[in-house]
């Protein structure tokens, strides 16, 4: 049977599809970023002072997901750094991966050559170490804090406040901060003091349109795929599908990469439009899987209630969902959340695209919500079934 594996290996070793898959990876930073000249220039203009050993203004960058914020920032900083390596240092931290203030500070300290135990230091001690480490660098330090949204929502902006004040306590080094988020409303949630110092300069990244996405895909595909494997029609389709959502380059690249993988799996020599449609379904299924799997427990219960209720083959009201949900919590011996909260959860599930909840006017009976599944029952149950706490409670 090991010949099965041999065949699989042979297929990827001499892929008829990919020349260098590497270039399609989402975290790969390409040498060229078409349609981001303006943003590269603007960010370069601000950060260039670091090349002279002076601290640039803090920058706050925002824009929807996949608009090139991370790629442009890394591109600008690594290019500046290559030209003046001893004038400044930069530290990149992804606050979604390092998702507590402790982890963020520890990452910064470690990247700059300091040491931190995994947990256990007090915030004050951690802050002292950060100051000491930064001072020892004796240079300008540009601190990139990417994907700040989740961190701030969960832990507030205390960390940002401390970081924007750090220069006051430093003698030799200077810190500048580049904050990045895809949540435009985040800016308004910040403490005004943080907002004004972090947002000394604000930069907005607009979404790409279909034509721009086509250019981006063409350049990436010309290195990643073998000649003649990806036609212009396939590129246009990926660009059009991604532009229809909001001009997300990551989405466009994912579609093309997965389409290539599907073609490869099927032993084809070229990528066809149908592979792109298949890729869309696959990506959507994976996304839904992750969304449902990571729901809080009571949200899973509410979703399960909707699945149970929709057996009746008509839309449900919030009241009906609440009743089924109460039945489930009773079965599990758990305390239930309020109907109000269930209604909020229903709205959250709607925003995540798992269900649709639309308000309909029933004349003199008033307004009511009609709740329906937007993913098929079986797929939802499959994911919910991965949660042991839910085993055996549905029929
Ligand atoms: N102009 C471009 N040319 C080539 N590739 C690009 C361009 N813009 C973005 N990309 C690629 O698209 C993907 C998404 O871009 P990036 O990670 O920079 O988005 P982002 O704005 O940081 O999104 P998020 O808010 O989700 O973090 C990356 O793989 C990146 O290399
Ligand atoms: Mg990013």
């Amino acid at each position: 049977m090991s010949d099965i594996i041999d065949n699989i290996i042979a297929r990827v070793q001499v892929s008829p599809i990919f020349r260098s898959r590497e270039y399609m990876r989402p975290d790969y930073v390409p040498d060229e970023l078409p349609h981001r000249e303006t943003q590269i220039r603007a960010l370069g203009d601000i950060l260039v002072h670091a090349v002279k050993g002076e601290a640039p203004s803090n920058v706050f960058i925002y824009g929807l997901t996949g608009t090139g914020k991370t790629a442009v920032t890394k591109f600008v900083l690594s290019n500046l750094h290559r030209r003046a390596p001893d004038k400044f240092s930069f530290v990149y931290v992804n606050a979604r991966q390092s998702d507590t203030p402790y982890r963020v500070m520890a990452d910064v300290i470690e990247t700059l050559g300091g040491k931190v135990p995994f947990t256990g230091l007090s915030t004050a001690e951690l802050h002292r170490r950060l100051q000491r480490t930064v001072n020892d660098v004796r240079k300008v330090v540009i601190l990139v804090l990417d994907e700040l949204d989740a961190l701030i929502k969960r832990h507030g902006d205390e960390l940002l406040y401390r970081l924007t004040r750090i220069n006051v306590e430093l003698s030799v080094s200077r810190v500048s901060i580049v904050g990045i988020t895809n949540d435009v409303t985040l800016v308004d949630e910040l403490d005004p003091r943080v907002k004004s110092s972090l947002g000394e300069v604000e930069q907005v990244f607009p979404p790409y349109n279909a034509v721009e996405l086509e250019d981006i895909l063409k350049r990436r595909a010309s290195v990643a795929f073998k000649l003649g494997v990806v036609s212009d029609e396939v590129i246009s389709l990926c660009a059009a599908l991604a532009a229809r959502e909001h001009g997300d380059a990551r989405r466009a690249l994912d579609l093309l990469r997965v389409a290539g993988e599907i073609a490869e799996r099927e032993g084809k020599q070229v990528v066809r439009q149908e592979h792109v449609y298949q890729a869309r379904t696959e990506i959507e299924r994976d996304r839904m899987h992750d969304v449902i799997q990571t729901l809080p427990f009571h949200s899973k219960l509410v979703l399960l209630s909707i699945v149970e209720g929709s057996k009746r083959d008509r839309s449900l009201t919030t009241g009906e969902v609440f009743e089924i949900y109460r039945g489930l919590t009773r079965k599990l011996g758990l305390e239930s959340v309020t109907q109000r909260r269930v209604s909020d959860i229903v709205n959250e599930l709607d925003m995540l695209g798992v269900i649709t909840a639309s308000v309909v006017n029933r004349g003199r009976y008033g307004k009511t919500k009609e709740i329906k599944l937007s993913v098929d029952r079986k797929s939802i149950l499959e994911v919910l079934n991965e949660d042991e706490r839910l085993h055996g409670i549905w029929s």
Side-chain angles (χ1 to χ4, degrees):
M1 276 188 93
S2 67
D3 57 324
I4 302 178
I5 303 297
D6 287 338
N7 284 337
I8 296 174
I9 293 174
R11 201 176 62 215
V12 293
Q13 265 171 351
V14 284
S15 168
I17 300 286
F18 290 102
R19 178 151 62 148
S20 181
R21 208 182 297 266
E22 197 48 21
Y23 292 102
M24 293 304 283
R25 285 228 332 249
D27 54 354
Y28 175 78
V29 180
D31 300 333
E32 279 183 274
L33 295 163
H35 304 291
R36 278 299 171 251
E37 292 81 1
T38 315
Q39 286 72 19
I40 290 174
R41 191 161 292 127
L43 190 61
D45 275 343
I46 301 160
L47 299 180
V48 70
H49 298 285
V51 169
K52 294 183 288 172
E54 293 164 11
S57 306
N58 294 333
V59 193
F60 199 47
I61 298 177
Y62 50 95
L64 295 174
T65 183
T67 51
K69 301 180 298 295
T70 302
V72 164
T73 306
K74 284 186 171 169
F75 177 91
V76 169
L77 277 170
S78 52
N79 273 285
L80 287 174
H81 195 251
R82 201 179 310 141
R83 287 164 178 84
D86 41 345
K87 289 291 185 200
F88 76 101
S89 298
F90 75 91
V91 179
Y92 174 88
V93 182
N94 184 309
R96 187 179 305 273
Q97 277 146 25
S98 307
D99 61 351
T100 60
Y102 193 100
R103 270 325 312 157
V104 171
M105 286 212 258
D107 271 10
V108 178
I109 296 170
E110 280 164 359
T111 314
L112 292 173
K115 283 211 163 46
V116 189
F118 196 72
T119 52
L121 294 186
S122 70
T123 314
E125 171 56 22
L126 200 56
H127 196 70
R128 265 195 299 279
R129 283 203 196 187
L130 178 65
Q131 252 170 281
R132 213 181 312 136
T133 317
V134 172
N135 239 344
D136 288 349
V137 175
R138 308 184 79 78
K139 282 189 236 184
V140 167
V141 176
I142 298 183
L143 187 53
V144 182
L145 301 171
D146 201 354
E147 307 202 33
L148 276 172
D149 3 322
L151 182 80
I152 290 178
K153 287 219 178 85
R154 217 166 309 137
H155 301 279
D157 55 9
E158 166 76 20
L159 171 71
L160 281 181
Y161 180 71
R162 276 173 174 272
L163 291 175
T164 54
R165 294 296 129 131
I166 196 168
N167 285 333
V168 179
E169 304 146 357
L170 292 173
S171 51
V172 197
S173 305
R174 282 276 162 274
V175 173
S176 300
I177 300 173
V178 179
I180 308 178
T181 174
N182 57 34
D183 182 350
V184 191
T185 61
L186 190 75
V187 196
D188 303 324
E189 287 169 32
L190 296 176
D191 181 300
R193 291 171 305 178
V194 177
K195 193 173 156 182
S196 70
S197 52
L198 189 60
E200 282 175 338
V201 184
E202 290 185 6
Q203 224 193 337
V204 185
F205 278 52
Y208 295 109
N209 62 34
V211 180
E212 293 170 339
L213 287 174
E214 267 188 53
D215 280 342
I216 292 171
L217 284 176
K218 263 187 203 148
R219 303 237 197 136
R220 295 277 290 255
S222 66
V223 252
F225 287 87
K226 290 199 167 151
L227 209 66
V229 167
V230 178
S231 64
D232 286 352
E233 287 74 45
V234 163
I235 299 256
S236 303
L237 179 59
C238 294
L241 292 176
R244 205 183 287 168
E245 284 173 31
H246 72 247
D248 175 347
R250 182 180 300 111
R251 176 86 175 159
L253 286 161
D254 281 349
L255 278 169
L256 187 57
R257 189 193 69 248
V258 176
E261 283 165 359
I262 294 171
E264 184 177 65
R265 234 166 29 220
E266 291 181 355
K268 298 285 181 342
Q269 307 290 318
V270 290
V271 181
R272 299 201 180 285
Q273 293 199 335
E274 72 220 43
H275 298 132
V276 177
Y277 287 114
Q278 269 168 268
R280 181 173 63 170
T281 313
E282 242 176 56
I283 292 169
E284 187 51 25
R285 201 173 50 218
D286 290 351
R287 191 182 79 83
M288 268 309 140
H289 182 274
D290 294 349
V291 163
I292 297 171
Q293 196 186 35
T294 52
L295 286 174
F297 191 57
H298 283 268
S299 303
K300 284 185 180 172
L301 286 176
V302 171
L303 178 59
L304 181 55
S305 311
I306 300 170
V307 172
E308 286 283 295
S310 60
K311 274 190 206 154
R312 300 170 197 169
D313 221 24
R314 58 173 178 79
S315 56
L316 296 154
T317 63
T318 312
E320 288 169 328
V321 173
F322 184 62
E323 281 316 310
I324 304 173
Y325 159 81
R326 278 246 295 243
L328 291 176
T329 51
R330 227 173 291 133
K331 241 183 186 174
L332 290 168
L334 290 174
E335 201 157 324
S336 52
V337 301
T338 60
Q339 178 156 356
R340 177 72 199 272
R341 178 70 196 121
V342 167
S343 175
D344 287 343
I345 293 176
V346 165
N347 290 338
E348 285 159 21
L349 293 172
D350 183 14
M351 292 226 299
L352 291 168
V354 192
I355 63 160
T356 58
S358 40
V359 178
V360 288
N361 207 333
R362 292 216 180 137
R364 62 195 171 98
Y365 298 107
K367 285 192 183 133
T368 173
K369 220 180 262 169
E370 282 191 357
I371 301 162
K372 283 187 203 143
L373 292 176
S374 24
V375 182
D376 68 288
R377 284 173 48 93
K378 205 168 135 259
S379 325
I380 296 179
L381 287 177
E382 258 167 36
V383 187
L384 290 178
N385 202 29
E386 289 171 18
D387 191 328
E388 283 177 11
R389 294 168 295 181
L390 291 171
H391 280 180
I393 68 159
W394 70 79
S395 35

